[in-house]
């Protein structure tokens, strides 16, 4: 558990109170994804709350269940099931033995429905959908009773059995809870709780042709698993009376309660699974784990540490107010985490050859780069300096402005970890593009200042031309150029940032970086934070993804 202060919210206060007052002795929560897509950062917020609570009360034996909410007939997509489990584990959470499938208890939902019928609390309605919709009324007008509402218990039992036996066509009959057609809460106006579908179900095949609706099944799943606190997002708030009605009127083994908190929304991002799927299927991104996607696997591939995602979710906090969180907060969490823990390395993204003309052709010297004397794990190391090195094109200018702190003819700059050197000349092609820079090192300046009268302007990073390794570097930027893509009148796709990916194929990295394991995270000094691509990186073909820049470049642009 990290910061107790940031973890005080109304849900946690409620759980503490429920324990003190004896509503429960051990909190049991659940995270109930529908296996129809990959998890995104919004899910991460729910995961941090559901699993986080269980961790906080682990001493009491608290657990958080992972429940696949698969009551809709469809083909199981094993890809989604596996990715959801992998992502939750990667975030640092564990359901232990508590993995559940909502489709495993179809018998229980069915028995509960029969129980309702026997108690005069549910009826089979054989009207068409449109008629039922018109009878619902609206916020100002009470609904009208269906002519089937007062069927006898026997008739309802027979018709519900007929539904189950496949005697009705899809849509020809539904089971409705008999609650209150005049309720001010539209969800209580005799909601449908069972419908007919002849689609194949991945778990039960064609055994069932009637399926419970979400509002009926969810409370029953919770009760079946003895969940104490069923936490969900605010749009379910006005479904809560129905949730409680189901719990109160069905033969349930436990009495869970539902509480709601605000969804996470992030600027410059779309979060709905439907839209994310559309981007994947229509090829706007390379897949669910494209590093620009707000999916957990996308962020992982981008180089966002799990810790940063959890910190971000905890920082946003649990409230009742739907807001739009600035994506810069997430990027800052990533930057903060990487600044503290990522090793430093050198890489040159736009290579320009620099020749040290006053050393022999076979010159080689091990120089030591000290990142932090107290934290050697941040990448204090030896690198080999050779006569020819690569520096970044942006670190040399023929005719620089006054405050330029890098290399230009006559200027003195230090090669990071090595000597101070003075630029003595350069070569350019017919168009005036600089093709090579020359400099002379000043002996005795490793770790020391140049002699009196020469001012060393700063240090630039470099990679030995002899030992450096060519690498592919993928520079990712925000996927959307507008703050609220969902609000674009031309549709969210019109907000796509056409420059969200730049691929550099001729970068040069320190030799050790080629040998780095996949997912190795580091700072390229003076450049940004990078990760060795989870899939494409290899010693033969190093590939690095930019997680985030050193500074928030969007904030600068907006000013
Ligand atoms: P989407 O709307 O993106 O399709 P969903 O709600 O349909 O998502 P589920 O698989 O049903 O996706 O979600 C599992 C859990 O994650 C639910 O309890 C849901 O409340 C929670 N959740 C989904 N999106 C968010 C979000 N943006 N912020 C917080 N919690 C979320
Ligand atoms: Mg949902």
């Amino acid at each position: 558990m990290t910061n107790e202060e940031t973890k005080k919210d109304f849900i946690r206060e409620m759980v503490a109170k429920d324990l003190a007052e004896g509503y429960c002795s051990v909190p049991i929560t659940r995270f109930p994804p529908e296996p129809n897509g990959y998890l995104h950062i919004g899910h991460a917020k729910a995961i941090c709350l559901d699993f986080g609570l269980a961790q906080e009360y682990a001493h009491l034996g608290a657990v958080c269940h992972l429940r696949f909410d698969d009551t809709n007939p469809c083909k199981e997509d094993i890809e989604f099931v596996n990715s959801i489990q992998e992502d939750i584990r990667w975030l640092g959470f564990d359901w232990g033995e508590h993995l559940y499938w909502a489709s495993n208890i179809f018998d229980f939902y069915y028995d509960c429905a029969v129980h309702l019928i026997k108690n005069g609390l549910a009826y089979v309605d054989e009207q068409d959908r449109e008629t039922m919709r018109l009878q619902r009324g609206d916020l100002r007008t009470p609904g009208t009773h269906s002519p089937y509402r007062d069927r006898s218990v026997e008739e309802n039992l027979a018709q519900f059995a007929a539904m189950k036996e496949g005697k009705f066509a899809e849509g020809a009959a539904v089971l409705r809870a008999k609650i209150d057609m005049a309720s001010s809460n539209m969800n209580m106006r005799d909601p449908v709780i069972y419908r007919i579908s002849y689609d194949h179900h991945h778990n039960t095949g064609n055994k069932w042709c009637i399926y419970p609706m979400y509002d009926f099944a969810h409370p029953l799943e919770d009760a079946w698993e003895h969940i104490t606190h069923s936490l969900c997002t605010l749009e379910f708030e006005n479904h809560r009376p129905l949730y409680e009605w189901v719990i109160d009127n069905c033969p349930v083994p436990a009495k869970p309660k539902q509480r709601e908190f605000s969804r996470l929304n992030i600027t410059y991002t779309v979060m709905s699974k439907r839209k994310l799927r559309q981007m994947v299927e229509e090829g706007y991104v390379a897949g669910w784990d494209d590093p620009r996607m707000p999916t957990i696997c996308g962020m992982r591939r981008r180089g966002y540490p799990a810790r940063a995602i959890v910190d971000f979710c905890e920082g946003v906090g649990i409230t009742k107010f739907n807001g739009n969180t600035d994506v810069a907060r997430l990027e800052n969490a990533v930057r903060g985490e990487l600044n503290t823990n990522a090793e430093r390395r050198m890489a040159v993204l736009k290579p320009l050859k620099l020749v040290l003309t006053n050393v022999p052709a076979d010159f080689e010297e091990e120089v030591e780069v000290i990142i932090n004397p107290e934290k050697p794990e941040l990448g204090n190391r030896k690198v080999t300096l050779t006569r020819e090195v690569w520096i970044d094109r942006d670190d040399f200018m023929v005719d620089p402005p006054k405050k330029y702190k890098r290399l230009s003819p006559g200027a003195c700059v230090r090669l990071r970890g090595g000597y101070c050197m003075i630029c003595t000349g350069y070569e350019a092609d017919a168009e005036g593009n600089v093709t090579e820079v020359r400099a002379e090192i000043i002996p005795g300046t490793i770790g020391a200042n140049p002699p009196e009268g020469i001012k060393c302007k700063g240090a630039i990073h470099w990679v030995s031309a002899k030992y450096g390794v060519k690498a592919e570097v993928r520079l990712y930027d925000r996927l959307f150029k507008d703050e609220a893509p969902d609000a674009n009148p031309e549709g969210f796709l019109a907000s796509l940032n056409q420059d969200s990916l730049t691929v550099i194929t001729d970068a040069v990295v320190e030799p050790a970086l080629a040998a780095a394991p996949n997912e190795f995270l580091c700072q390229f000094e003076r450049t940004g934070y990078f990760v060795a691509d989870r899939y494409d990186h290899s010693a033969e073909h190093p590939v690095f993804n930019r997680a985030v820049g050193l500074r928030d470049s969007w904030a600068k642009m907006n000013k």
Side-chain angles (χ1 to χ4, degrees):
M1 228 182 306
T2 50
N3 189 341
E4 283 305 318
E5 279 307 296
T6 60
K7 284 202 174 180
K8 276 242 163 72
D9 53 62
F10 77 98
I11 296 279
R12 288 181 162 87
E13 276 168 17
M14 171 189 67
V15 172
K17 189 160 173 273
D18 286 344
L19 282 166
E21 291 175 355
Y23 160 75
C24 61
S25 54
V26 184
I28 308 290
T29 55
R30 92 285 171 263
F31 175 66
E34 208 176 324
N36 61 354
Y38 279 66
L39 298 181
H40 54 57
I41 180 86
H43 293 118
K45 175 176 169 174
I47 290 169
C48 288
L49 178 62
D50 292 323
F51 284 94
L53 266 170
Q55 282 183 349
E56 287 153 40
Y57 289 103
H59 57 286
L60 299 180
V63 286
C64 176
H65 298 184
L66 171 59
R67 177 198 308 151
F68 285 108
D69 203 341
D70 61 345
T71 50
N72 284 327
C74 65
K75 260 183 55 226
E76 173 183 38
D77 212 320
I78 195 72
E79 175 191 355
F80 298 138
V81 168
N82 289 341
S83 74
I84 287 170
Q85 301 193 38
E86 181 178 14
D87 289 347
I88 296 172
R89 285 211 184 89
W90 179 72
L91 284 174
F93 299 106
D94 188 9
W95 51 93
E97 321 211 301
H98 297 279
L99 175 64
Y100 298 85
W101 298 84
S103 64
N104 277 348
I105 54 169
F106 279 136
D107 286 316
F108 175 57
Y109 312 131
Y110 182 78
D111 292 344
C112 287
V114 169
H115 179 91
L116 289 178
I117 294 172
K118 286 184 177 160
N119 286 297
L121 292 173
Y123 60 98
V124 172
D125 198 330
E126 294 170 46
Q127 301 179 100
D128 60 75
R129 257 171 90 170
E130 181 58 13
T131 309
M132 284 191 275
R133 194 182 64 77
L134 292 172
Q135 287 169 351
R136 262 186 113 203
D138 56 36
L139 286 177
R140 261 176 251 120
T141 332
T144 43
H145 286 186
S146 159
Y148 293 93
R149 199 174 197 261
D150 293 316
R151 289 179 139 176
S152 69
V153 168
E154 289 67 34
E155 201 181 348
N156 276 313
L157 285 173
Q159 293 306 80
F160 191 48
M163 278 172 68
K164 184 182 178 226
E165 284 154 21
K167 306 234 163 88
F168 285 98
E170 249 173 55
V174 290
L175 184 70
R176 297 176 71 177
K178 192 172 181 176
I179 308 180
D180 178 6
M181 286 305 287
S183 173
S184 58
N185 185 329
M186 297 297 287
N187 295 314
M188 300 298 270
R189 294 190 184 178
D190 291 10
V192 173
I193 58 175
Y194 256 96
R195 67 189 170 101
I196 294 168
S197 168
Y198 290 98
D199 290 346
H200 180 90
H201 190 283
H202 76 87
N203 184 9
T204 51
N206 297 325
K207 177 172 179 212
W208 295 89
C209 63
I210 54 171
Y211 291 93
M213 304 299 285
Y214 178 91
D215 281 341
F216 182 59
H218 205 85
L220 295 178
E221 292 157 20
D222 287 339
W224 180 266
E225 296 174 24
H226 289 78
I227 301 300
T228 58
H229 296 87
S230 178
L231 308 173
C232 61
T233 39
L234 275 183
E235 64 273 22
F236 292 101
E237 195 167 23
N238 59 9
H239 295 241
R240 198 204 288 179
L242 178 53
Y243 183 101
E244 291 173 350
W245 185 91
V246 171
I247 294 297
D248 288 344
N249 290 290
C250 290
V252 291
K255 302 231 171 225
K257 57 165 135 181
Q258 172 186 303
R259 289 295 179 271
E260 312 81 15
F261 62 95
S262 62
R263 300 178 78 78
L264 177 68
N265 296 302
I266 298 187
T267 57
Y268 297 94
T269 309
V270 301
M271 204 90 91
S272 122
K273 247 187 276 183
R274 185 179 61 73
K275 291 178 181 165
L276 297 180
R277 172 173 313 125
Q278 189 184 344
M279 285 195 289
V280 173
E281 286 173 356
E282 295 177 12
Y284 293 98
V285 291
W288 287 94
D289 67 351
D290 185 299
R292 295 164 293 182
M293 290 282 271
T295 50
I296 295 176
C297 56
M299 293 183 174
R300 174 176 181 177
R301 195 161 176 199
R302 173 86 173 254
Y304 286 15
R307 185 69 249 167
I309 295 173
V310 172
D311 279 352
F312 165 77
C313 290
E314 287 176 354
V316 168
I318 302 298
T319 69
K320 278 260 178 201
F321 310 103
N322 274 325
N324 212 0
T325 301
D326 189 345
V327 72
R329 265 181 90 165
L330 173 61
E331 292 160 354
N332 277 330
V334 172
R335 208 175 274 121
E337 169 67 22
L338 292 175
N339 183 40
T340 311
N341 294 317
E343 294 190 39
R344 271 59 168 173
R345 293 288 186 272
M346 290 197 284
V348 175
L349 303 196
K350 287 183 273 174
L352 173 63
K353 174 120 358 131
L354 172 79
V355 184
L356 303 173
T357 53
N358 62 338
V359 299
D362 61 353
F363 170 82
E364 283 197 13
E365 184 174 338
E366 299 266 286
V367 299
E368 195 164 19
V369 179
I370 305 289
I371 305 300
N372 180 341
E374 257 109 72
K375 290 181 83 183
E377 67 276 12
L378 283 185
N380 295 352
R381 68 200 184 284
K382 293 211 166 99
V383 286
T384 309
L385 181 63
T386 49
R387 186 170 190 264
E388 296 191 346
V389 299
W390 297 108
I391 63 169
D392 201 286
R393 244 164 218 291
D394 294 341
D395 283 336
F396 176 79
M397 268 179 105
V398 175
D399 196 10
K402 257 217 166 75
K403 287 197 176 143
Y404 193 66
K405 292 233 168 56
R406 313 170 195 181
L407 207 56
S408 59
C412 174
V413 164
R414 182 186 295 282
L415 285 170
R416 176 85 171 108
Y419 295 94
C420 295
M421 58 175 178
I422 293 182
C423 176
T424 53
Y426 65 92
E427 303 281 335
D429 62 16
E431 277 107 55
N433 299 312
V434 177
T435 53
E436 188 177 297
V437 178
R438 288 191 296 274
E440 289 183 3
I441 62 165
I442 309 174
T445 50
I446 287 191
N449 289 326
E452 197 105 18
I454 301 176
K455 200 170 168 302
C456 184
K457 291 184 159 195
I460 60 173
H461 60 278
W462 55 276
V463 172
S464 157
K466 183 169 176 192
Y467 294 112
V469 179
K470 202 170 139 176
E472 177 177 329
V473 174
R474 299 168 182 169
L475 301 177
Y476 293 102
D477 199 350
R478 291 176 186 171
L479 189 52
F480 293 96
K481 60 182 190 302
D482 297 320
E483 199 172 307
D486 286 320
N488 190 324
E490 287 163 42
F492 75 103
L493 292 172
S495 289
L496 278 171
N497 172 9
Q498 299 302 330
D499 301 318
S500 59
L501 170 61
T502 309
V503 180
I504 297 176
T505 52
D506 59 351
V508 188
V509 299
E510 274 186 46
L513 277 177
N518 296 64
E519 299 205 77
F520 176 76
L521 270 164
C522 64
Q523 183 194 92
F524 288 174
E525 284 197 71
R526 302 176 64 234
T527 308
Y529 296 98
F530 290 78
V531 67
D533 190 79
R534 192 175 169 196
Y535 303 110
D536 300 340
H537 170 82
S538 66
E540 297 71 43
H541 181 66
V543 180
F544 287 87
N545 303 330
R546 180 170 67 195
V548 69
L550 294 178
R551 267 162 244 98
D552 182 355
S553 56
W554 282 71
K556 213 166 53 192
M557 264 167 49
N558 290 343
K559 270 182 206 144

